[in-house]
Amino acid sequence: MREDLSVPARFTPPTPRSRRLGRELRSLRDSAGLKVEETAAKLHCSPSRISRIESGDIKVRPGDVMEMLVAYGHSLDSEPGRSLLSLAEGLREMGWWQRQNVLSSRYATFIAYEAEATDLRNFEPTLIPGLLQTEAYAREVNSVGRETDPETIEQLVQVRLTRQEVLRREHNPLRMHAILSEASLLVEVGEPEVLRNQLSHIVRLSKRPNITVQVLRFAAGAHLADRGNLAVLTFDGGDPPLGYVESLGGELFLESAADTNRLITIFDHLKSLAMSPAESIRFIKERASGT
């Protein structure tokens, strides 16, 4: 496992699978009684590379996994060797988001996680969530003070539309529970027709069994998410949840159990204050007809 420092590494955001592989490899190293530095010496690489592999920040090659398995005293043709090598093979498949040059590293990382998630809890205080946006609404949002180049705006819009495929995939579509602030139903985005069509689009999407929509009315009063949006992704396979929040200072990932549990508690608080899904859809229909 020799590092070629003359070749810059391609950015590949971590995913639940890469972190799962990293945790398994770390567990094997611990069982073998080896420290990170000792493993690095055996494999002729830096300790930081071993640490990044174990954290999932490096999409480790199958050949590297073979070397690590041998170093830890495991056969390649028995468990856990076969399953870990299979997992490493899958990591080499490039996600569609990695071919987009308009995405920030944090946005690309979120998309990578979203693609593997089973559930999404999402609260938005002023805009419709990206996964529920129409093409026209997404174009207007991406045109407001963020980008001026038409080609870049169009690429960002197509990225948003491609992301929405997780809600329609044939096997295990993403289950989304969205809580929309009443403000998001009122904020004018583009011409009145854009917002009217957007609200009608939400009504249609709410008929899907994997999409739940609630509206948090102004009358609900002050609440625990008065500082911005929040998203919590959950996964199969024992992978821990991932929290994600946005602010004027940028995007922030929250990975500790304390942080994700806090976000889930806040979301449940909002859910208890919001109208029921049925009442919410009736309210959105009224807004759509009156816009």
Side-chain angles (χ1 to χ4, degrees):
M1 189 192 293
R2 296 184 182 274
E3 297 168 275
D4 185 354
L5 300 180
S6 65
V7 179
R10 174 188 289 272
F11 173 72
T12 54
T15 67
R17 282 184 292 177
S18 70
R19 298 206 169 181
R20 188 182 313 145
L21 177 58
R23 289 198 304 272
E24 294 291 339
L25 291 171
R26 181 172 61 248
S27 178
L28 293 182
R29 177 177 59 76
D30 289 340
S31 297
L34 292 172
K35 296 181 179 179
V36 169
E37 293 78 10
E38 294 171 321
T39 300
K42 278 177 172 286
L43 301 179
H44 306 289
C45 67
S46 66
S48 65
R49 179 172 174 80
I50 299 298
S51 296
R52 292 180 67 202
I53 288 173
E54 292 182 351
S55 65
D57 293 331
I58 291 180
K59 301 290 184 63
V60 61
R61 296 182 295 257
D64 295 336
V65 174
M66 289 181 186
E67 291 185 31
M68 297 177 82
L69 287 168
V70 171
Y72 302 152
H74 288 274
S75 171
L76 304 182
D77 58 359
S78 61
E79 294 299 335
R82 285 198 298 265
S83 60
L84 294 186
L85 286 171
S86 175
L87 190 55
E89 288 284 356
L91 293 180
R92 308 314 298 173
E93 299 175 4
M94 182 177 288
W96 63 265
W97 53 89
Q98 292 173 244
R99 294 185 285 271
Q100 307 295 321
N101 59 10
V102 296
L103 305 181
S104 69
S105 62
R106 287 186 175 271
Y107 188 23
T109 298
F110 180 80
I111 293 174
Y113 272 94
E114 185 179 69
E116 293 193 26
T118 57
D119 293 85
L120 168 63
R121 299 173 176 92
N122 192 190
F123 168 70
E124 294 290 343
T126 56
L127 295 174
I128 303 301
L131 290 185
L132 304 182
Q133 291 178 6
T134 64
E135 182 173 350
Y137 188 98
R139 185 169 288 109
E140 294 292 342
V141 168
N142 280 287
S143 300
V144 179
R146 301 185 180 186
E147 296 289 346
T148 57
D149 175 49
E151 184 175 346
T152 299
I153 292 173
E154 189 59 30
Q155 284 180 282
L156 290 170
V157 170
Q158 293 309 311
V159 164
R160 186 150 300 182
L161 297 179
T162 303
R163 278 181 56 208
Q164 295 173 2
E165 292 177 6
V166 296
L167 298 173
R168 302 188 297 267
R169 62 194 177 201
E170 184 176 354
H171 299 291
N172 300 319
L174 179 70
R175 293 185 292 268
M176 181 180 189
H177 191 144
I179 298 179
L180 313 181
S181 167
E182 183 175 354
S184 68
L185 310 181
L186 299 173
V187 172
E188 295 185 6
V189 176
E191 297 296 325
E193 184 179 2
V194 173
L195 181 57
R196 182 165 53 247
N197 290 339
Q198 174 62 70
L199 298 183
S200 297
H201 181 64
I202 293 173
V203 172
R204 291 191 295 271
L205 289 177
S206 70
K207 297 176 182 178
R208 293 177 176 267
N210 60 312
I211 298 176
T212 301
V213 176
Q214 289 184 261
V215 174
L216 183 65
R217 296 290 305 273
F218 294 136
H223 53 76
L224 295 178
D226 58 355
R227 297 182 182 180
N229 76 316
L230 68 88
V232 180
L233 294 166
T234 53
F235 311 89
D236 281 340
D239 296 297
L242 177 75
Y244 181 78
V245 295
E246 294 177 327
S247 70
L248 292 176
E251 307 97 332
L252 179 64
F253 290 102
L254 302 174
E255 301 180 63
S256 72
D259 284 336
T260 55
N261 287 338
R262 178 168 56 86
L263 289 184
I264 292 172
T265 297
I266 292 173
F267 187 86
D268 288 342
H269 166 74
L270 298 176
K271 187 167 62 173
S272 68
L273 293 177
M275 293 189 292
S276 71
E279 292 172 326
S280 297
I281 295 306
R282 284 196 294 271
F283 183 74
I284 293 173
K285 284 181 178 178
E286 292 172 1
R287 287 298 312 158
S289 61
T291 302

